[in-house]
Amino acid sequence: MKKPDVERIEEGLGEGADARSSLPVAPSMGPALATLRTPAASVAVDSRTVFISAMAVVLAAVAGLVAQGLGALIHFVTNLAFFGRLSVQPVSPGDNTLGGWGVLVPVAGALIVGLMARYGSRAIRGHGIPEAMEQVLFNQSRIPPRMTLLKPLSAAIAIGTGGPFGAEGPIIATGGALGSLLGQGLHVTADERKALLAAGAAAGMAATFGAPVSAVLLAVELLLFEFKPRSVIPVALATATATGVRIAFMGGAPAFAIPDLTTPSGGALAFYGVLGLVIGAASVACTRAVYWLEDLFEKLPLHWMWWPALGAIVVGVVGYFSPRTLGVGYTNIEDILSGRFVGTAMLVFCALKFISWSVALGSGTSGGTLAPLFTLGGGLGSGLGLLATQVFPGLGVDVRVAALVGMAALFAGASRALLASVVFAFETTRQPLGLLPLLAGCAASYLVSALLMRHSIMTEKLARRGARIPTELGADALGTALVRDHGLKTVVTLQADMPLEEVRAWLASDASGSHHQGFPVVSREGTLVGVVTRRDLLDGHASEGRRLRDVVKRPPAVVFDDSSLREAADLMMDEGVGRLPVVSRARPQLVVGILTRSDLLAGHRQRLANARTRERGLGSARPPSPRTA
């Protein structure tokens, strides 16, 4: 190929030897820019956020009413099953006078649940939160509509007939199902449907415990896997609304009223941190025990429909010897936290509660895990706190604070919802002096759990199905990196009027710049005409009489130099291209570079360096900027 021809191709570079050189574009480019495809502007909230928030408020009001209805339904089933009367008055199944016949009541309820799961929906088995997580992550937040009815009904039967579960899990699952159902009925995106599902689930928790802030945090940590205004705002408004519904029905008293606490001493605070370490190990043991029992049931030569009935036999027998283990047992939590239920009797109760709950949950019946974990954690914390007061009386340990820390720390370790656990314990007791011990204990429990166990009690089931679950929230590396730091490089451009035959010869010449995979195409005036790839140029079509502009398939998609790499990546996906010309937003008549998919991968370099590179902070050299790295 003649040298003048090579220079002609490289002239389009506009003296492009300098990485910061720019390609001049004719003034007539202005109107053409209106037809270019550019990255969509990123906004935190918009009119859609307002619409979804309004829907979340309506949803929360309904979820709050459903929560009250489910509570009444559980009381109705309890009254009917254990006392033979039609009533919705609150009553404990442990107060029954059936004697040995009472063992059969949980079995009868479990048989009904098994039939509902077999012929209704298998998804009603379990405590609901993992199932909601699965729909969020892998099914665009689409929960089958029948779950809206089957889940609360099956849970009411299981708990009302003595199942050792909390009502909050089914209420959370039902609220999520309502949100998903609303999202499936509206013209919304999958992300907006996810926000509605999370809003309904959080509203269910807030309506149960009157803990709106921890409900928001629980949604963020277990359902949303993000902290974005367009999803957090609807969830927050939903929890506030649902809490208002709860106050209207039940008043504004805390869920677990306990006497006022005192400021902990330094020694006591250190003990609560150590207590959190012990509770963290206990959370691992609880999780593994539940799934070990689940594995045992999987090996039985019986259809899974019958497993809940087998587990209910254990529930009934344990309930015969310890009636307090039957049913929801929120009063047990309050008695432990207030110090009214302590000592050996309390520890025996907790041991029996654990056996009853773990066997029942492992059998695949319907019920929640939050209340049992709170009970077990509170009991273990109370027992260790009482031991500390006897062995180390000078520490100033408060048994009630130890119980509070144990309650929250067991849930933090088992679920990995650290912030939700801390705030939940505060909101349900309204004891601000417990916040510091809670933070120390829950963080310690979280640490031990994360070290010893890869998955939580919420995600282990999904992991066993081959799913990969997000375990942390972090800043988007591409969202914080700018195109100008990665996409300003020498641009080899081609003239639109060049003969295609000449371009193909240049590609085969091994000349400088001929090995690129894509080339911007410009007119004689410098106007950007489009982008062509090597495949476009060498696709086998006849080249006689064809010009380079004949190969351009569509108007170019461009990215601004101050756009983020995330915006650029989204545009690449939308357009189905692997490279984008870079233009200046302030001077759109200049093409200043080109961005490729390799540049997007390079955008993760700083994130990896931050996570892996160890260096001394004092006296060390300042790390290079992304542009000069």
Side-chain angles (χ1 to χ4, degrees), residues 107-351:
V107 178
L111 285 172
I112 297 174
V113 172
L115 288 169
M116 293 178 66
R118 172 93 183 258
Y119 299 106
S121 174
R122 186 171 181 174
I124 66 173
R125 304 171 72 224
H127 50 98
I129 296 180
E131 290 73 22
M133 295 171 68
E134 183 176 29
Q135 300 306 314
V136 166
L137 292 170
F138 308 113
N139 195 31
Q140 295 187 322
S141 304
R142 297 179 183 273
I143 297 177
R146 61 181 179 274
M147 285 292 294
T148 308
L149 176 63
L150 291 177
K151 185 62 180 180
L153 184 58
S154 64
I157 293 173
I159 299 171
T161 55
F165 305 107
E168 68 290 327
I171 293 175
I172 291 172
T174 303
L178 284 171
S180 175
L181 182 62
L182 177 61
Q184 292 175 65
L186 298 173
H187 191 63
V188 298
T189 65
D191 281 350
E192 291 170 338
R193 192 181 306 112
K194 177 176 69 172
L196 289 172
L197 186 154
M205 180 177 176
T208 304
F209 294 113
V213 180
S214 57
V216 174
L217 294 174
L218 188 75
V220 169
E221 293 180 301
L222 297 185
L223 291 175
L224 292 173
F225 302 106
E226 65 183 19
F227 194 91
K228 295 181 179 178
R230 63 181 58 224
S231 56
V232 172
I233 291 173
V235 172
L237 292 174
T239 60
T241 303
T243 303
V245 173
R246 181 184 186 275
I247 292 174
F249 280 90
M250 305 178 65
F256 307 127
I258 64 175
D260 290 341
L261 304 178
T262 58
T263 304
S265 64
L269 186 60
F271 169 79
Y272 300 136
V274 174
L275 175 63
L277 297 176
V278 177
I279 298 294
S283 71
V284 175
C286 283
T287 302
R288 290 178 175 170
V290 166
Y291 285 101
W292 176 73
L293 287 167
E294 187 174 290
D295 291 339
L296 289 183
F297 277 101
E298 292 279 355
K299 297 176 182 179
L300 291 177
L302 292 173
H303 192 278
W304 55 261
M305 179 185 73
W306 305 106
W307 298 350
L310 295 179
I313 295 175
V314 177
V315 173
V317 172
V318 171
Y320 175 76
F321 291 101
S322 179
R324 295 186 72 153
T325 61
L326 296 173
V328 174
Y330 291 146
T331 56
N332 296 326
I333 299 175
E334 185 169 338
D335 288 344
I336 292 173
L337 294 180
S338 63
R340 294 191 297 267
F341 191 23
V342 294
T344 303
M346 184 271 300
L347 291 175
V348 171
F349 157 75
C350 287

